[in-house]
Amino acid sequence: MSAENKNENTENETDGKSEKKGGKRPHQRAPKQEKKAASQDGINVDLEERVVAVNRVAKVVKGGRRFSFAALIVVGDKNGKVGYGLGKAKEVPDAIRKAGMKASKRMIKVSIENGTIPHEVLGLFGAGEVLLKPAGDGTGIKAAGACRSILELAGVKNVLTKSVRGSNPHNIVKATFHALKSLRSLEEVANVRGVNSKGLRMKAKASKA
């Protein structure tokens, strides 16, 4: 009888341990699944992305060289919102994915009037200097490289640009974003001055004539 009782006790203990283990696992995994779902919901946005530059960096160590990649990405919805991001990883796809996530979180609103920018503006960053001018219908985007990608993804249809100095894509991207952030629509200027926007439009038309 004593041997049977011992066997029953050991079986009960093993059942209790298995139940405890089974009970702990779903509680530990549930929050991880929720976090993954939340992050995926944040990434799934209708944005178009373009790769501006991919740089390979080599680190010399005792065993040889270790390579890593840095990707500069521009994203936008072609409706007045655009952003950029820099991602670093051991592989190119991972670097592009990280840069896209950062760019989607750093988007800015661009003032666009009749398919072009409201006024002339100069963007500066480091050694990069970019000049943007408004243009009429049918002109298109007169730009190249990183500046063209940014303006297309922002939704600008007609614009004239000039890279005054600098060829580094990082400086050109940041200088272009500095210029886009400096743009102000006619309504914003009227609100700052406390004037009716119609009066400013009449003055602008008279000065052009």
Side-chain angles (χ1 to χ4, degrees):
M1 294 294 289
S2 61
E4 292 178 358
N5 292 332
K6 287 181 181 179
N7 292 331
E8 290 178 358
N9 291 332
T10 54
E11 289 177 358
N12 292 331
E13 288 176 359
T14 54
D15 293 337
K17 289 180 181 179
S18 62
E19 288 177 359
K20 289 179 181 179
K21 289 180 180 179
K24 287 182 179 178
R25 287 178 183 173
H27 292 296
Q28 292 176 352
R29 292 179 181 176
K32 292 182 180 179
Q33 292 175 357
E34 291 175 0
K35 287 181 180 179
K36 287 181 181 179
S39 62
Q40 288 175 358
D41 292 338
I43 296 170
N44 291 333
V45 183
D46 294 333
L47 297 175
E48 183 179 344
E49 67 177 28
R50 294 187 185 176
V51 180
V52 176
V54 177
N55 187 26
R56 190 184 72 172
V57 179
K59 181 181 179 182
V60 180
V61 294
K62 186 176 181 181
R65 292 183 179 181
R66 291 182 182 177
F67 294 100
S68 61
F69 298 89
L72 182 63
I73 305 295
V74 177
V75 302
D77 60 355
K78 293 187 175 181
N79 194 23
K81 287 186 178 181
V82 67
Y84 75 95
L86 178 66
K88 299 178 181 180
K90 299 295 183 181
E91 299 294 336
V92 176
D94 294 335
I96 293 174
R97 179 180 55 81
K98 289 181 180 179
M101 292 175 63
K102 290 182 180 179
S104 61
K105 295 177 182 178
R106 297 178 181 175
M107 300 190 72
I108 63 171
K109 182 69 176 177
V110 181
S111 298
I112 301 174
E113 293 183 0
N114 299 323
T116 187
I117 58 177
H119 57 84
E120 182 178 331
V121 66
L122 183 66
L124 298 170
F125 185 87
E129 184 175 354
V130 177
L131 177 66
L132 306 180
K133 287 185 177 183
D137 293 336
T139 305
I141 299 176
K142 302 300 182 183
C147 186
R148 184 181 186 87
S149 299
I150 294 169
L151 294 172
E152 286 181 352
L153 294 178
V156 180
K157 303 297 182 184
N158 304 291
V159 67
L160 300 172
T161 68
K162 173 66 179 177
S163 179
V164 181
R165 68 168 188 256
S167 60
N168 188 339
H170 294 267
N171 288 337
I172 295 297
V173 167
K174 293 176 182 178
T176 305
F177 270 86
H178 176 260
L180 295 178
K181 288 178 184 178
S182 303
L183 292 174
R184 293 193 299 172
S185 64
L186 195 65
E187 287 75 14
E188 292 175 351
V189 176
N191 291 332
V192 171
R193 295 182 181 181
V195 184
N196 190 1
S197 60
K198 292 183 180 179
L200 289 178
R201 288 187 185 276
M202 295 296 291
K203 289 182 180 179
K205 289 180 180 179
S207 62
K208 288 181 181 180

